[in-house]
Amino acid sequence: MSTNTKTNLKDVTFIIPVRVDSLERLENLKCVTTYLLGYFDTNIIVMEADSENNGLLREILPTEVEVIFEKDNNRTFHRTKYLNLLTLLTTTPYIAIWDADVVVYHHQLLSAVESLRAGAYDFIYPYDGRYMETGVTFRRIFLSNHDLRPLEENADRMVAPYTKLACGGGFLAKKEAYVEAGMENENFTGWGPEDAERLRRWQGLEMRVGRVKGYMFHLFHPRGENSTFESAEKRIELKGELNRISAMSKASLVAEIRIWNAKRASHY
């Protein structure tokens, strides 16, 4: 569902890096971007990173969406790197780091943006930690009508795949604060606990982090090789990185971010 009168969010850019590894992922991305644009006059950048550009995203996504293709022959999708690249391309004061498969009520997003505009927070999650997996049936329902009410009414029949205080899926930020806090940790080269690391880093840096009451729904898609740990060894490595960052003092985090910025300056 949407409205004929769109809310002005031109000071926000939604950043969505993606690797289209299934039909469901493609359908979800189209649905999510259409849903956002049904309520908001805003900016959306989708970056597809893959070995070949078949032009399908540009063909099926709303014309308002900016689509960028980045050739990438690696099997592992380095999402953190692409989030950083896209962040540096944005010109708006606020950004939304967004997954291709998640939705929240539009009023939750608006509340999050208004909190940022008011200077109340540096980062804000547009949900309260209740991150629900729709499953196949409720995904189909939402794709057919873009109405979140049936999902909310049946949330107790869904699975919360992480914790009752999840921190993945999407968040909004003052761009200046996000850059100051190091953006994404590119040591997370594939799927892993980067969402938890990011939040702990913000907390260690004494950033102001808020939440908005309500659910976030994750639209079902098959879990391919980029939706789980690459290997048992990679699982150990990435969890070690989470623990390393979590143990740092504020001064150590600031020094670590300087190192990241120096590396990016030489590679970007």
Side-chain angles (χ1 to χ4, degrees), residues 6-203:
K6 297 185 182 183
T7 302
N8 186 345
L9 293 190
K10 292 298 286 184
D11 56 351
V12 180
T13 301
F14 286 81
I15 297 172
I16 310 177
V18 66
R19 176 161 294 175
V20 181
D21 52 5
S22 66
L23 175 61
E24 288 85 353
R25 179 91 71 183
L26 185 64
E27 291 174 337
N28 290 350
L29 178 59
K30 180 181 179 182
C31 179
V32 168
T33 54
T34 301
Y35 176 80
L36 290 171
L37 290 167
Y39 287 101
F40 303 114
D41 182 12
T42 191
N43 310 284
I44 303 176
I45 305 177
V46 171
M47 175 181 276
E48 181 183 17
D50 214 332
S51 57
E52 292 185 17
N53 182 9
N54 58 21
L56 190 56
L57 287 186
R58 179 61 286 163
E59 183 179 337
I60 73 162
L61 293 183
T63 57
E64 299 96 322
V65 176
E66 181 180 356
V67 178
I68 300 173
F69 179 80
E70 181 76 13
K71 188 172 179 60
D72 185 350
N73 291 320
N74 294 311
R75 290 183 61 183
T76 302
F77 180 46
H78 196 167
R79 183 173 183 271
T80 54
K81 179 180 74 173
Y82 294 121
L83 283 171
N84 290 342
L85 284 168
L86 287 172
T87 295
L88 297 177
L89 291 177
T90 63
T91 58
T92 54
Y94 309 109
I95 58 174
I97 303 298
W98 211 252
D99 283 1
D101 311 283
V102 297
V103 285
V104 300
Y105 272 114
H106 62 282
H107 62 77
Q108 292 171 218
L109 273 170
L110 181 57
S111 177
V113 172
E114 289 175 341
S115 293
L116 292 177
R117 288 171 174 166
Y121 300 106
D122 300 305
F123 305 95
I124 187 165
Y125 296 97
Y127 70 111
D128 55 22
R130 291 177 293 172
Y131 179 99
M132 311 306 293
E133 171 63 59
T134 64
V136 174
T137 300
F138 291 112
R139 171 187 177 271
R140 288 175 178 166
I141 291 172
F142 182 73
L143 262 62
S144 69
N145 60 19
H146 293 186
D147 186 354
L148 281 171
R149 288 174 297 183
L151 276 63
E152 182 180 31
E153 291 165 0
N154 290 279
D156 58 350
R157 301 172 61 185
M158 299 179 189
V159 174
Y162 302 111
T163 68
K164 292 183 179 179
L165 196 62
C167 56
F171 64 88
L172 293 94
K174 290 170 55 181
K175 179 184 174 180
E176 182 181 7
Y178 183 58
V179 172
E180 179 185 346
M183 299 190 290
E184 297 298 304
N185 180 348
E186 294 183 30
N187 292 325
F188 290 95
T189 53
W191 191 92
E194 68 271 19
D195 296 322
E197 180 274 330
R198 185 194 307 114
L199 176 56
R200 293 185 190 180
R201 177 162 30 99
W202 294 344
Q203 292 168 337

